[in-house]
Amino acid sequence: MSPFRCTIAQAIRDQVLQPAIVGKPDDLFLACASFEPRSVKAAECLPPTYRARQAIIYANSECLEGCQGVGTRPHLYQLITILARHADRVDVVEGSLFDAPKQLETLRKALLTDWQPQDQQPTVTIDTTTFNRESLLIASALLRSFEPKPTVRAVYVSPADHGSWLSRGFRSVRNVVGFSGVQDPSQPTVLAVLAGFEPDRVLKVIDEHEPKKVLMGIGDPPTTERFLARNIAEQELVLSRQDVEEFRFATADIHECYTQLRCLVEPCLRESNVVLAPMSTKLSTLAVLLLVEEFPQIQVTYCVPGEYNVRDYSSGADTLFIDGLPP
Amino acid sequence: MTDMNTLATPGLLPGNPFVVESPEKLPPEQLVGLFIEQYTQIETVRQRRHTFIWGSRGSGKSMMLRYLEPQCQGIVHGGIEKVFSTSEPFLGVYCPCKEGQLNKTEFETLDESATAILSEHLLNITIADRLIVCLRDQFAAGVIGVCELTAFAKKVIMLFEPASIAASGRGATESNDIAVDPLGWLHRLFSLENLKIGGFLRWRCLGRGETQYEGATSGYHDFLLPFMQLVGDLPVIRGASVYVLLDDADRLNRVQQRIVNSWVANRDNQWLCVKVSAQREKYDTLLTLRGGLIEQPHDYSEVNVEELYTQSKSDYANKVRLIAERRLTLSPLPEKNIDQFLPVNDTERQRFDDIKKETAEEWHKAGEPGRQGDYVTRYATARLFQELKRKKQRKSYAGFQNLVHLSSGIVRDFLEPCYLMVDACVKKGAKLGELRAVPPSVQDEVCYRYSEEFLDVKLQDIRKDLPPENWSQLDALRTLIESLGRLFYERLHDPSAREARVFSFTVRESLSSNLEEILRLGVQHRYFQRRTYSTKEGGGRQPWYILNRRLCPVFKLDPTGFEGRIQLSSDHLELACSDPPRFVRMRLGVVEDDENRPLFPSDPGEEKE
């Protein structure tokens, strides 16, 4: 499918979020509850006619505790209420941001054991908006392990704005579970970063991987025009380093982003171990998934943040993006 | 051994000679040119024993390990054959533990037994592959004949269980002819095994249904040790032991560290020695897979690359001098003497000479306590600091010896400020080929900035590495450093203080876990060096914490030495971690009003060194 975008108001007015195949309910609607208000926006855009056989709401246990919980729980209850109107069954599953095995196990149980698609060619809609990138990659990879592959449609709501900072500190840098890749021990490392607004996280990943070369991606076109300037400004320090080469990638077009990454990374694979660090939009993160499906030797790395800016991570909901993963 | 001076080819460092590059990026000629053997304890590392090399990032561990590779040793000895003709020959194989390559997150989803089996195979084939690539790339073609290498490759595959390695063997044969390119064939074999591990881990996490591992497995006695024996049997190598140079081993997961420890426990040094480099506090365990503890000196030797400064300041200064002058020799800079290149502030030096004479006179007036020389050593520097304070002049930290002290045992903390100083001169219009010295004013400018960064920017960076629940401990550490800095400043600038240059503290009782963690954090990030000190009362040794001298400029302290130490109780430390002004008042014995009555009215508890 071709990427589609519209304002939230348009999405509601024109009832754009119909099931992936018109007239047939989706087999699964997958969403993630978070402290960000936009985590409920895609669900709010569902027209009364939208149906899914099952809805699964994923939440990280850390986001349900303490001050994160104060923000997340109301959104979780809101999602349950909204999705109960559209789905035959709504399940809430609790994973973990910090505990990789728990995150994997939760998603495996929810998607490979408990979810029983009734259709030969199941259709899935993922509201990717507030998934953490690690769980989004794992969930999407698990869904694509079905034969034949389900039709997966990704929905993303960009915010009107982001706070002055998004996250602070780090707990660890690790490969996304299932995405450690295969390395030739005698080859140097090339790190390709899809950068967002968190330069410290980029520097931390560079520091941990000690790559010979860094390919630094700036999201262009961005989801919102003014985000490009901020992206460049935030990453200025990294971009000024001698061992860094800049490239541009599409933030809201999975296939376009995948093609750009492929052109960039494929020549490096012959003489280096490639590590990818998706730190931009969720749609560009799905482009990374497609690339790793093609080149499983690539490692995908993830920097677990110390804390999120729970009060002011993002505000408003600007645009609804819909894009599909190829079969 | 080749005279190192013949290696010091000018032009090897065409830019700023104090640049700090990752050793992995340096070509062998440059690495050999820059490495200084003296004062590095490399002789211990060279011994045919397992060795742990402890040190923080930037302390020179990787440089030392890479220096032991054949491509560097060949340059040092004047040919690869000569490397293996020495009395205790070795073949060094550099094996860096890169993030995510060995410590794959997927292992956390397996039980310990499965993790151990797969991890050991992964470690074995990674090391074996590095060794094969080393033989291919670092030995000239023909040094080892194709026939010998083919026979070697055929013996290597026999080490595996035939059925489990068969598929990889066929795969290797499809791409490489073992009779023509035996090392390429082995490289392919190990790559295919690596693929199988990666594929299994990925499929197990992200695939549907049951999955079975279909590759080979290998252990220490059935693969790694006999593999090294086969390597030792190759011509040229002639029975040399293989040194596995395992760099950044703190990146291995706990099970993998226990595997390495199990190898160490085996003590098969004739064929295999493991040289493990790590940050001590991050290397989680010294237990083997079977739960035994490896111990020094029975199982391994130990080298602490940062200990030199606290053991012998003159040896450390000599080491830094050799490194700095080697860099000057390799550079286009005209001055090759580091004392000339980093001159002291001449005005301050002259005044200090006068103060020493005045202090010698003061000794007479004070009733000639002890020896005159000791009195001058103890008080002259303090008098200089006191006079500068009176005249509201800034202390100069210029001069090679001062910069050595400020680096506090970390060579990188000497090189980096020097780099910034040369850079500042170039920015002011100096040409590298004409720069004979860094003016003291420029040195001071950099020293003060570098010191401030350590207190502010570095702490902010550390905060980023900590989960938010530990930030209060970092804040307490910052406050503790502030408290000590202020206290030592007051002591140094007090004309009546007996131990004016005090710079360290001991802890006289057990501490709360929170205080222990704060001090551990301080040691981990090098704000303190921790040693132990024998108590005068007997009864064992107390922990002794010495402040990092890089902090001297920011607190206006004397970096040249320390006398005595203050003794702190748990309550003292609690106060120092929360309220610097009150801590300083209490330690100096300042009487407070009723509202601010001192918490601890007695016993500042000082000891002389």
Side-chain angles (χ1 to χ4, degrees), chain A:
Chain A
M1 72 178 288
S2 306
F4 172 86
R5 65 186 290 172
C6 65
T7 64
I8 298 294
Q10 273 177 317
I12 294 170
R13 187 192 64 211
D14 299 342
Q15 303 196 347
V16 297
L17 259 181
Q18 295 295 339
I21 297 174
V22 179
K24 171 183 161 307
D26 278 344
D27 288 85
L28 177 65
F29 185 93
L30 179 62
C32 179
S34 131
F35 51 83
E36 285 185 85
R38 63 181 170 136
S39 66
V40 299
K41 282 294 165 200
E44 284 178 348
C45 289
L46 293 172
T49 51
Y50 177 85
R51 295 299 304 167
R53 292 200 172 98
Q54 188 181 347
I56 296 176
I57 305 167
Y58 175 83
N60 286 307
S61 56
E62 296 83 359
C63 296
L64 295 170
E65 296 158 0
C67 62
Q68 284 198 55
V70 173
T72 305
R73 285 186 179 277
H75 297 146
L76 174 63
Y77 300 141
Q78 244 178 300
L79 276 173
I80 294 170
T81 309
I82 296 169
L83 293 176
R85 294 200 292 266
H86 298 280
D88 301 344
R89 174 183 157 188
V90 179
D91 291 319
V92 177
V93 297
E94 196 176 311
S96 170
L97 197 59
F98 305 156
D99 183 344
K102 182 181 173 187
Q103 182 169 222
L104 176 72
E105 207 38 55
T106 302
L107 289 166
R108 278 186 70 87
K109 184 171 182 303
L111 299 175
L112 298 191
T113 308
D114 296 348
W115 179 51
Q116 301 286 344
Q118 292 172 14
D119 206 292
Q120 281 293 314
Q121 183 69 53
T123 53
V124 178
T125 297
I126 309 179
D127 173 10
T128 64
T129 309
T130 49
F131 267 96
N132 58 305
R133 293 177 189 85
E134 189 174 35
S135 58
L136 177 62
L137 282 166
I138 295 168
S140 308
L142 290 173
L143 287 170
R144 287 170 67 82
S145 72
F146 283 82
E147 281 297 337
K149 282 191 174 78
T151 301
V152 177
R153 185 173 60 157
V155 176
Y156 175 69
V157 176
S158 66
D161 211 346
H162 279 291
S164 56
W165 59 278
L166 305 188
S167 68
R168 278 197 302 217
F170 326 104
R171 285 171 194 275
S172 62
V173 172
R174 63 176 185 228
N175 68 271
V176 173
V177 64
F179 292 81
S180 60
V182 180
Q183 292 77 33
D184 181 337
S186 56
Q187 300 287 11
T189 301
V190 170
L191 172 69
V193 182
L194 278 67
F197 298 162
E198 294 163 292
D200 286 341
R201 269 172 107 176
V202 176
L203 288 168
K204 180 67 180 171
V205 168
I206 294 174
D207 197 40
E208 288 297 322
H209 284 276
E210 297 177 328
K212 186 180 180 189
K213 189 161 80 172
V214 178
L215 305 170
M216 185 70 180
I218 297 294
D220 182 15
T223 54
T224 302
E225 208 48 54
R226 66 180 181 286
F227 286 175
L228 175 60
R230 178 168 173 189
N231 195 184
I232 294 169
E234 293 274 13
Q235 305 296 349
E236 198 180 358
L237 182 68
V238 185
L239 288 167
S240 66
R241 288 168 57 129
Q242 276 188 338
D243 55 353
V244 171
E245 279 176 28
E246 187 185 327
F247 71 97
R248 302 285 170 123
F249 65 91
T251 56
D253 184 331
I254 297 172
H255 188 260
E256 175 70 13
C257 182
Y258 154 77
T259 308
Q260 290 162 333
L261 288 176
R262 195 179 190 284
C263 288
L264 182 83
V265 161
E266 197 183 7
C268 303
L269 285 167
R270 263 170 260 131
E271 291 183 341
S272 42
N273 298 312
V274 173
V275 179
L276 279 176
M279 296 182 173
S280 182
T281 59
K282 305 303 154 53
L283 297 178
S284 62
T285 303
L286 290 174
V288 167
L289 172 71
L290 298 184
L291 194 69
V292 175
E293 281 182 350
E294 188 174 358
F295 303 107
Q297 66 267 47
I298 293 173
Q299 181 190 152
V300 183
T301 191
Y302 182 63
C303 178
V304 185
E307 68 166 353
Y308 286 109
N309 183 359
V310 177
R311 286 178 162 219
D312 189 25
Y313 189 95
S314 68
S315 56
D318 187 62
T319 306
L320 178 84
F321 296 86
I322 307 173
D323 202 353
L325 289 176

Side-chain angles (χ1 to χ4, degrees), chain A residues 104 108 145-146 169-171 173 175 178-181 183-185 200 204 207-208 210 299 306-307, chain B residues 57 99 101 104-106 108 129-130 133 187 194 202 204-208 251 464-465 467-469 471:
Chain A
L104 176 72
R108 278 186 70 87
S145 72
F146 283 82
F170 326 104
R171 285 171 194 275
V173 172
N175 68 271
F179 292 81
S180 60
Q183 292 77 33
D184 181 337
D200 286 341
K204 180 67 180 171
D207 197 40
E208 288 297 322
E210 297 177 328
Q299 181 190 152
E307 68 166 353
Chain B
R57 291 184 85 173
E99 177 54 45
Q101 293 194 5
K104 296 170 184 283
T105 315
E106 290 85 344
E108 294 175 30
D129 195 27
R130 290 288 303 199
V133 171
H187 178 55
N194 200 352
R202 179 179 165 79
R204 200 181 165 279
C205 291
L206 303 178
R208 287 172 64 79
R251 284 223 179 94
K464 290 171 192 166
D465 265 337
E469 53 271 27
W471 288 356

Side-chain angles (χ1 to χ4, degrees), chain B residues 182-200:
Chain B
L183 294 179
W185 186 86
L186 277 174
H187 178 55
R188 181 68 184 147
L189 179 85
F190 295 135
S191 300
L192 289 168
E193 280 299 300
N194 200 352
L195 271 172
K196 283 183 178 166
I197 297 174
F200 169 74

Side-chain angles (χ1 to χ4, degrees), chain B residues 337-382:
Chain B
N337 178 304
I338 193 67
D339 290 301
Q340 302 293 327
F341 188 69
L342 297 170
V344 296
N345 179 318
D346 212 36
T347 314
E348 196 175 286
R349 186 188 54 77
Q350 283 172 18
R351 182 63 198 126
F352 185 52
D353 289 342
D354 292 342
I355 285 176
K356 281 202 268 193
K357 288 175 194 157
E358 290 164 19
T359 313
E361 285 301 309
E362 187 185 303
W363 176 73
H364 291 298
K365 290 177 193 162
E368 301 185 355
R371 284 185 298 191
Q372 189 181 39
D374 291 345
Y375 189 89
V376 171
T377 305
R378 179 176 295 172
Y379 292 111
T381 313

